[in-house]
Amino acid sequence: MHIFYTPDIHSDAYILSEEESKHCIKVLRLEAGNFLYLVDGKGGFYDAVVEDPHPKRTKLKILSKLENFGKRNYYVHIAIAPTKNIERVEWFLEKATEIGIDEITPIICDRSERKEIKTERLNKVITSAIKQSIKAYHPVLNEAVRYSDFISKSRNSQNFIAHCMDGAKSTIKDQLILNSNYLIVIGPEGDFTYEELEAAVNNNFIPVSLGNSRLRTETAALEACFELNFLNS
């Protein structure tokens, strides 16, 4: 199944970008009359056929469209402190997109080793993952934001903070309200500070544990993503 990401599709004809045209013609070797599929990142899933197989501007004809393809009745937003090794963030984005995630926000915490990220490269990882996993919705990747600013402005049906400090913690399973809008924040390699945890609790975040093992940042974020999807399935 050949899938292309076409966020600017608006009619029954479409011309692939130069990069996608090259992939379509030079790599996949598709020809006139060959069928393929398109996703627009907003829930649209299209059947299409190659009309003019040009290596720089391949023209397609749209045959049919499905609206709200794969739409879910809940929303998963994960805020994660970027890891020092950006490849670990890329790994998380790829796997979380395949499992099912709607929004990601990089948060800069007191103990964060990485203070900035370049979203262009990370968005390409997400785009590749939606094509791989046949998803018609493209997760939103926000620009990095200071933790304190993010926490004070977050308003969701359920907000969680996963941390490794001592103290009272619940589990996502015990607190979950099904079919809701979820946000879970995951801290840096050195965990949140006590002040950051207190700020989250004061803003109605529920402290949760992700199990007995001490997980890497990206593993914890993926575990939370998986758990939210599994419990709503």
Side-chain angles (χ1 to χ4, degrees), residues 171-185:
T171 64
I172 295 176
K173 179 180 179 181
D174 289 339
Q175 295 290 335
L176 195 76
I177 299 172
L178 293 177
N179 304 325
S180 295
N181 186 336
Y182 311 110
L183 165 64
I184 185 163
V185 293

Side-chain angles (χ1 to χ4, degrees), residues 65-226:
K65 176 184 178 182
L66 288 176
E67 300 275 6
N68 302 317
F69 181 80
K71 185 175 178 59
R72 306 178 305 174
N73 56 0
Y74 58 95
Y75 192 93
V76 176
H77 181 182
I78 291 185
I80 179 174
T83 55
K84 184 177 181 179
N85 183 347
I86 197 63
E87 291 181 358
R88 288 163 56 188
V89 176
E90 293 176 1
W91 176 86
F92 161 69
L93 291 174
E94 178 184 69
K95 303 310 176 187
T97 299
E98 292 176 6
I99 291 172
I101 193 169
D102 301 285
E103 187 173 356
I104 307 100
T105 301
I107 50 174
I108 308 305
C109 303
D110 289 344
R111 292 174 177 162
S112 292
E113 294 188 70
R114 177 178 288 275
K115 303 296 184 181
E116 60 181 36
I117 64 168
K118 297 180 180 179
T119 56
E120 182 179 358
R121 164 62 187 167
L122 298 182
N123 263 313
K124 288 182 179 179
V125 172
I126 294 174
T127 299
S128 178
I130 69 167
K131 293 191 290 186
Q132 167 67 31
S133 53
I134 316 177
K135 289 192 165 43
Y137 288 93
H138 194 290
V140 175
L141 175 63
N142 298 314
E143 295 292 334
V145 62
R146 289 293 308 175
Y147 171 87
S148 56
D149 295 334
F150 180 78
I151 288 293
S152 63
K153 297 176 182 178
S154 297
R155 299 290 182 270
N156 297 272
S157 297
Q158 286 201 289
N159 291 339
F160 302 101
I161 179 169
H163 67 89
C164 299
M165 288 174 271
D166 294 333
K169 285 180 282 189
S170 184
T171 64
I172 295 176
K173 179 180 179 181
D174 289 339
Q175 295 290 335
L176 195 76
I177 299 172
L178 293 177
N179 304 325
S180 295
N181 186 336
Y182 311 110
L183 165 64
I184 185 163
V185 293
I186 306 293
E189 286 93 330
D191 205 2
F192 296 108
T193 63
Y194 285 103
E195 292 76 15
E196 287 172 332
L197 175 58
E198 182 179 29
V201 172
N202 290 340
N203 280 278
N204 299 314
F205 278 72
I206 303 170
V208 293
S209 169
L210 296 175
N212 297 325
S213 299
R214 187 177 181 86
L215 305 175
R216 286 181 178 271
T217 295
E218 73 279 10
T219 310
L222 190 63
E223 161 63 22
C225 180
F226 172 80

Side-chain angles (χ1 to χ4, degrees), residues 2-22:
H2 304 305
I3 298 180
F4 294 83
Y5 177 52
T6 54
D8 54 345
I9 187 168
H10 299 297
S11 67
D12 60 358
Y14 187 83
I15 297 179
L16 292 175
S17 67
E18 183 172 345
E19 181 180 359
E20 290 282 49
S21 292
K22 181 179 179 181

Side-chain angles (χ1 to χ4, degrees), residues 18-30:
E18 183 172 345
E19 181 180 359
E20 290 282 49
S21 292
K22 181 179 179 181
H23 181 70
C24 179
I25 306 306
K26 296 294 187 179
V27 179
L28 299 178
R29 299 187 180 280
L30 298 185

